[in-house]
Amino acid sequence: MNFDFIQPLLKEDKTKIILLVIDGLGGTPLDWGGLTELETASTPNLDELAAHGLCGLHQPIGAGITPGSGPSHLALFGYDPCKYMVGRGVLSALGIDFDLTSQDVAARGNFCTINEQGEITDRRAGRISTDKNKDLCALLKKVILPDIEVFVKTVKEHRFLLVLRGEGLSGDIPDTDPQNVDLKPFEPKPRSLEGVKTAALVTTFVEQAQRILKDHRPANMVLLRGFSQRPQWPLFDEVFGLKAAAIAAYPMYLGLARLIGMKPFHSNNTIEDELDVLENQWKNFDFFYIHIKSTDSAGEDGDFNRKVRLIEKVDQNIPRIRSLEPNVMIVTGDHSTPAALKSHSWHPVPTILWARHCRPDGVDHFGERACLSGGLGPNFPAVDLMPFALANAFRLDKFGA
Amino acid sequence: MNFDFIQPLLKEDKTKIILLVIDGLGGTPLDWGGLTELETASTPNLDELAAHGLCGLHQPIGAGITPGSGPSHLALFGYDPCKYMVGRGVLSALGIDFDLTSQDVAARGNFCTINEQGEITDRRAGRISTDKNKDLCALLKKVILPDIEVFVKTVKEHRFLLVLRGEGLSGDIPDTDPQNVDLKPFEPKPRSLEGVKTAALVTTFVEQAQRILKDHRPANMVLLRGFSQRPQWPLFDEVFGLKAAAIAAYPMYLGLARLIGMKPFHSNNTIEDELDVLENQWKNFDFFYIHIKSTDSAGEDGDFNRKVRLIEKVDQNIPRIRSLEPNVMIVTGDHSTPAALKSHSWHPVPTILWARHCRPDGVDHFGERACLSGGLGPNFPAVDLMPFALANAFRLDKFGA
C-alpha cells in the first residue's frame, strides 16, 4: 500500500485497534500427518475470535522469503519491508536500547580470531562469553578518533555494537566482514563521496582495535558489518492517523516501533504484565501493538510442547483483551518459527482480523489449515493488514466518486 | 495488467463476452451468524452458472479500500483505477450527460452559506431543493468571462456542474472548497504554469457568483472542487480488440463507458428493458457491459430485503441472457454495498466467470462464502477479469515460444 494513496483517504474516528503479535506463531507438524503447534494447542478463545472474524495466512515479505524480525514487523505495521530497510547496525542498537541520534553511524561487530598472516580462522572467536565480551569492550574504549565519539557496547557472546558519533558521517560503506574464513578482513572502501570520511575513521578504528586486542586471542580482531544510520521514515501517526502504543519486553521491538513514532512501553516478559500496560494506557491511544516473545524462543529452541503451552497461555488472556472492547483486533505472528526447524521460516503466518462488520468466512477455529479457507486468503501480503484494519475501524474514506 | 503486455497477444475471434454488473452486489449479514443479501436470495440460475463456471471475490482497488463507482468500474473494464483517475468535475458532467469537449474544464459545485465575514457556515446551503438549484443556475448565466463559454448546470439539491470552455484551459488548479466550515473558501492558486489562466478565470467566476447570490441566503456562495478535463485514455477497442456496447439507465455509467470508447445505449431502469437493448444489439458488438443500478440503491437505503428481491429479479433474467449463447459471461458487482452499512464498502465482491472451458472449482452456488473457495480466489484484483475473459474467449495468443 502506497502511503501517498492512503493518506488522502484517512478520516478521524474514535475507534481502537489492537495488533497482537505472537512472535513466530506459525509452525509445521513434527512428523507427516501430525499437527502444527497452533493446531495442537487448545485455543477456545482464539477459535471464537476466528469464528466471528476474518481468517487467512499472511506472507510477511514475499513467496519463500524467511524474514528477520525487523522487516516482518515493519510489514505488519504497513511499511513495505523491501522499501523501508533497517541496517543491521541500527537493529543492533535498537536491540540493546542504545538511543541513536541523527549524528550516529552504527555497525554490528563480531570479535573474531585471525592468524599471524591476518587471515580469519574463526569469525566468532569461539563464541567467547558475554563477560569476556564486556572486558574487551572496556578495553576498546581506548580507541581515539579525531572529533568523533566512539561507543563500543556488548550485545551477547562475540557480538558487539559500534557507534561513531560526529559531524558528516555516513552509513554508505561496505562491511569489513568477508563472511568467510581464510580471508583477511576487508578494508572499508567508500562507495560514495559521502562515505569517504567514515571509511577512513573505520579503518583507523579497526587498526587501533587490532593493536589493543593482539594478545587476547581467540578474540584478537574485530569484524564490522551493516553500517547504517537511524532512518528518517514517515511516522505511523502521519501515515495512518493513529496514535500508537507499543508494548513489549524486548528492546529491539520497542526500538523498531519508536523508529516510526510509536510510543514504547516496556513491560516484563509475561502477557499478564503486558496487558496491565494495555489497560493502563487504553484511554490514551488509538492503536496498540502488543508483542509476545516467548513463542518464538520456544520455536527456536525446537521445543514444540513449550510453544503449544505458550500459545495456550495467550489464548487464556484473550477474554481480558476483548473486555476492553476494541473495534478491531488482529491476532497474528510476525513470521513462522516451526519447532521442527528451530528457526524462523518462510511459511505463511496464521491471522485473525476481528471487527463488527467482518463478513463471515466459515472458518471456526484458529489453525494453519483452517485459515487456508479464510476470507483474507492463504497468502495475502502482510502489509495489507493495516488498510484492512483501518477500513474495519471506519477510518478510511471512499476512493474516487 | 499492463496494456503494452497484452496488446501484442490479442487475436481476433467472433466470440462474445457479457459483463453483467450488479451494482453494490456484495453484502454482509445484518447480525452475527446471519446470511448476506446474496446468500439469502434464491438464485437457482446464478447457482447453475456458478456451478459450471469459475467463482471468486474481487478487490476493486486494493486491500481495505472502499471504491467510488468511477474507479470500481474502470477496474472491471481492465483499467488500473489508480492510474486512470477521473476527476470529480468530469464525473459530475458524465452524471448529467453533459457532453464534454477537449476544450472544457469541469468542476463539481456546491451552493453553500457564508456569514458576513465570508466564512462558510453550511457547505450544502441547507440542502436546497433541486428546483431552487435550477433558479440559481439560471441566475449564474449572467456571469461573463472573457473569450470563455460558461455552463452552470443543476445536478441535484445543492450540487451543480460548472464547465468553462475555451482555449488554453487546464484542470490543474486546487479546490476552492476547504471541506470544512468556519473557513473562507480558498482562492484557486495555480499549481503549474498551465493553470494560471484557468485559476484567474475561476477567481472571477466566484467573485461574480458571490455578487449575484448575495441576497439568496442560504445559497449565497459557491464552492468548487475536482477541476478536471476529459481524459485521453487508450480506447477499450484498441486495448482489448473488442467492439463494446454499454447498456445502462444512469448517465454516469454510460458516460464512463463512453470515455473509453464503448458505445453507450440508454435504457429504462429495469433489467427487462436492458435485455431488450442487449438482444437488439447482439449482432453488432463483441462485448456487452450491462449495468444494474437498483441493488446498490437498496443497499444504500439499508433495505436488506429489497436488495434480496432485486438480486432474485436479476437471477430470473439469467436464462434470457444465456439463450443468446455468449462465449464468456461475467456476473459480479462493481463493489459491495452492504445494507448493514448503508454505503459502499471495502468488502471483496462475489464473482462468476462462466465459459465453456472453465476448470471446475467445486463451487455450486453463488454467495460470498461459497465464492471464497472458488478458482478465482478470495481476493483477486478486479483488473484481472478482462484478461481472464479474453483468454476464455480465445482472444489471446500464447506468450513467448
Side-chain angles (χ1 to χ4, degrees):
Chain A
M1 183 55 57
N2 189 318
F3 292 161
D4 292 342
F5 179 83
I6 213 160
Q7 243 168 335
L9 303 179
L10 295 180
K11 62 177 181 180
E12 284 189 35
D13 207 302
K14 299 194 166 169
T15 46
K16 288 184 192 283
I17 301 170
I18 291 176
L19 170 66
L20 177 65
V21 177
I22 306 172
D23 202 313
L25 174 65
T28 59
L30 288 176
D31 299 297
W32 287 120
L35 301 175
T36 68
E37 297 90 325
L38 178 58
E39 288 171 347
T40 303
S42 164
T43 55
N45 298 302
L46 288 168
D47 293 350
E48 191 196 343
L49 204 66
H52 288 185
L54 273 174
C55 290
L57 298 122
H58 75 72
Q59 227 167 37
I61 315 295
I65 304 302
T66 296
S69 298
S72 66
H73 268 87
L74 286 168
L76 291 179
F77 298 155
Y79 286 63
D80 178 350
C82 299
K83 178 173 175 190
Y84 297 96
M85 309 237 261
V86 206
R88 275 176 195 277
V90 171
L91 267 185
S92 288
L94 300 180
I96 60 166
D97 209 12
F98 184 95
D99 198 9
L100 288 175
T101 75
S102 58
Q103 288 203 314
D104 296 354
V105 167
R108 178 166 165 175
N110 273 17
F111 290 106
C112 71
T113 314
I114 54 172
N115 62 20
E116 281 171 13
Q117 288 73 48
E119 295 156 354
I120 301 163
T121 57
D122 183 343
R123 285 184 57 249
R124 297 180 185 84
R127 288 191 188 273
I128 52 167
S129 71
T130 304
D131 281 342
K132 177 73 185 162
N133 181 314
K134 285 180 185 163
D135 296 342
L136 297 171
C137 285
L139 289 176
L140 291 180
K141 282 192 180 151
K142 291 181 204 152
V143 174
I144 307 284
L145 299 178
D147 301 324
I148 295 292
E149 227 177 324
V150 180
F151 302 86
V152 185
K153 299 282 183 188
T154 295
V155 175
K156 200 180 169 187
E157 297 174 343
H158 56 285
R159 293 203 301 272
F160 65 89
L161 166 73
L162 170 68
V163 174
L164 306 184
R165 179 174 295 170
E167 296 283 335
L169 299 184
S170 160
D172 194 23
I173 59 171
D175 299 347
T176 74
D177 183 350
Q179 301 265 2
N180 261 313
V181 294
D182 299 335
L183 294 169
K184 292 183 181 180
F186 295 144
E187 264 198 43
K189 302 232 182 294
R191 281 190 288 234
S192 62
L193 274 179
E194 287 70 32
V196 173
K197 176 176 177 180
T198 313
L201 289 164
V202 169
T203 303
T204 310
F205 173 84
V206 172
E207 283 167 4
Q208 293 191 32
Q210 184 175 2
R211 220 169 299 140
I212 291 167
L213 296 172
K214 75 174 186 314
D215 298 328
H216 293 270
R217 200 181 155 89
N220 62 354
M221 184 50 169
V222 295
L223 298 174
L224 300 168
R225 57 181 172 143
F227 290 93
S228 44
Q229 292 180 287
R230 196 184 67 183
Q232 298 295 322
W233 290 340
L235 298 180
F236 191 81
D237 182 12
E238 291 161 11
V239 172
F240 297 120
L242 295 166
K243 204 176 153 199
I247 305 170
Y250 281 72
M252 205 283 279
Y253 305 94
L254 294 172
L256 202 61
R258 199 169 47 206
L259 276 185
I260 54 170
M262 290 188 188
K263 171 99 174 167
F265 290 93
H266 182 265
S267 150
N268 289 327
N269 193 21
T270 72
I271 185 164
E272 289 84 359
D273 283 316
E274 296 191 317
L275 298 193
D276 287 346
V277 179
L278 176 69
E279 287 167 355
N280 288 335
Q281 296 300 328
W282 186 243
K283 287 194 179 153
N284 304 330
F285 295 89
D286 308 310
F287 181 93
F288 298 85
Y289 151 56
I290 308 167
H291 180 255
I292 311 284
K293 177 67 183 170
S294 54
T295 37
D296 178 58
S297 309
E300 295 260 10
D301 292 345
D303 193 336
F304 189 97
N305 293 332
R306 191 169 104 233
K307 191 171 161 195
V308 169
R309 284 196 307 275
L310 289 163
I311 292 169
E312 291 176 342
K313 178 90 174 191
V314 174
D315 183 78
Q316 288 148 22
N317 281 279
I318 295 296
R320 187 171 162 199
I321 303 178
R322 290 192 71 179
S323 68
L324 292 168
E325 301 188 355
N327 300 83
V328 178
M329 185 163 161
I330 296 170
V331 181
T332 188
D334 53 342
H335 52 74
S336 295
T337 306
L341 291 173
K342 297 187 182 181
S343 67
H344 292 199
S345 78
W346 61 90
H347 301 86
V349 188
T351 304
I352 305 171
L353 186 151
W354 174 91
R356 168 67 186 84
H357 288 283
C358 283
R359 181 192 278 162
D361 61 8
V363 177
D364 61 3
H365 65 283
F366 194 33
E368 284 84 350
R369 254 165 285 205
C371 284
L372 280 175
S373 56
L376 292 168
N379 265 314
F380 72 96
V383 289
D384 283 357
L385 274 173
M386 275 307 303
F388 280 134
L390 289 169
N392 279 282
F394 300 110
R395 285 174 172 269
L396 284 184
D397 250 332
K398 192 158 70 170
F399 171 67
Chain B
M1 183 55 56
N2 190 317
F3 292 162
D4 291 340
F5 179 83
I6 212 160
Q7 243 168 335
L9 304 179
L10 295 178
K11 62 178 183 180
E12 283 191 35
D13 206 303
K14 297 195 167 170
T15 46
K16 288 183 193 283
I17 300 169
I18 291 176
L19 170 65
L20 177 64
V21 178
I22 306 172
D23 203 314
L25 175 63
T28 60
L30 289 177
D31 299 297
W32 287 120
L35 301 174
T36 68
E37 296 91 325
L38 177 58
E39 289 172 347
T40 303
S42 166
T43 55
N45 298 301
L46 288 167
D47 293 349
E48 191 195 344
L49 205 66
H52 290 181
L54 273 176
C55 291
L57 297 123
H58 74 74
Q59 228 168 35
I61 314 295
I65 303 301
T66 296
S69 299
S72 66
H73 268 86
L74 286 168
L76 291 179
F77 298 155
Y79 287 62
D80 178 351
C82 298
K83 178 173 174 189
Y84 298 98
M85 308 238 261
V86 207
R88 275 177 195 276
V90 170
L91 268 183
S92 287
L94 300 179
I96 60 167
D97 209 10
F98 184 96
D99 200 7
L100 288 175
T101 75
S102 59
Q103 288 202 314
D104 296 354
V105 167
R108 178 167 166 175
N110 272 16
F111 289 106
C112 72
T113 314
I114 54 172
N115 63 19
E116 280 170 16
Q117 289 72 48
E119 296 157 354
I120 301 163
T121 57
D122 183 343
R123 284 183 59 249
R124 298 180 183 85
R127 290 192 187 272
I128 52 167
S129 71
T130 303
D131 281 343
K132 178 73 186 165
N133 180 317
K134 285 180 186 164
D135 295 343
L136 297 172
C137 285
L139 288 176
L140 291 180
K141 283 194 179 148
K142 289 181 206 149
V143 173
I144 307 283
L145 298 178
D147 300 325
I148 295 290
E149 224 177 327
V150 180
F151 302 86
V152 186
K153 299 282 183 187
T154 295
V155 174
K156 199 180 169 187
E157 297 174 343
H158 55 286
R159 292 202 302 273
F160 65 88
L161 166 72
L162 171 68
V163 175
L164 306 184
R165 179 173 295 169
E167 296 284 335
L169 298 183
S170 161
D172 193 22
I173 59 171
D175 299 348
T176 74
D177 184 350
Q179 302 265 0
N180 262 313
V181 293
D182 299 332
L183 294 170
K184 291 182 183 182
F186 295 143
E187 263 198 43
K189 302 234 182 292
R191 281 190 287 234
S192 61
L193 274 179
E194 287 70 32
V196 173
K197 176 177 175 180
T198 313
L201 289 164
V202 168
T203 303
T204 309
F205 173 84
V206 172
E207 283 166 5
Q208 292 190 34
Q210 184 174 2
R211 219 168 301 140
I212 291 167
L213 296 172
K214 76 174 186 313
D215 298 328
H216 293 271
R217 201 182 156 86
N220 62 354
M221 184 50 169
V222 295
L223 298 173
L224 300 168
R225 59 180 171 145
F227 290 93
S228 44
Q229 293 181 287
R230 196 183 68 182
Q232 299 294 320
W233 289 341
L235 299 179
F236 191 82
D237 182 13
E238 291 160 12
V239 172
F240 297 120
L242 295 165
K243 203 175 154 198
I247 305 170
Y250 282 70
M252 206 282 279
Y253 305 93
L254 295 171
L256 202 61
R258 197 168 50 205
L259 278 185
I260 55 170
M262 290 188 188
K263 172 98 175 170
F265 291 93
H266 181 264
S267 150
N268 289 327
N269 192 22
T270 72
I271 186 166
E272 290 83 358
D273 283 317
E274 296 190 318
L275 297 193
D276 287 346
V277 179
L278 176 68
E279 286 167 355
N280 288 335
Q281 296 299 329
W282 186 244
K283 288 194 179 153
N284 304 330
F285 295 90
D286 307 309
F287 181 94
F288 298 85
Y289 151 57
I290 309 167
H291 180 256
I292 311 284
K293 177 67 184 171
S294 54
T295 36
D296 177 59
S297 310
E300 295 261 11
D301 292 346
D303 192 336
F304 190 98
N305 293 331
R306 191 168 105 231
K307 193 172 158 194
V308 170
R309 285 197 307 275
L310 288 164
I311 292 170
E312 291 177 341
K313 177 91 173 193
V314 174
D315 183 77
Q316 288 149 22
N317 281 278
I318 296 296
R320 185 171 164 198
I321 303 177
R322 291 192 71 178
S323 69
L324 292 167
E325 300 187 357
N327 300 81
V328 178
M329 185 163 162
I330 295 170
V331 182
T332 188
D334 52 344
H335 52 75
S336 294
T337 307
L341 292 174
K342 296 188 182 181
S343 66
H344 292 200
S345 79
W346 60 89
H347 299 86
V349 189
T351 304
I352 304 170
L353 187 151
W354 174 91
R356 169 66 186 84
H357 290 282
C358 283
R359 180 191 283 160
D361 60 9
V363 178
D364 61 2
H365 64 283
F366 195 33
E368 283 85 350
R369 254 167 284 204
C371 283
L372 279 175
S373 56
L376 292 169
N379 266 314
F380 72 96
V383 288
D384 283 357
L385 274 172
M386 276 308 302
F388 281 136
L390 289 168
N392 279 282
F394 300 110
R395 284 173 173 268
L396 284 184
D397 246 332
K398 192 159 66 173
F399 172 66

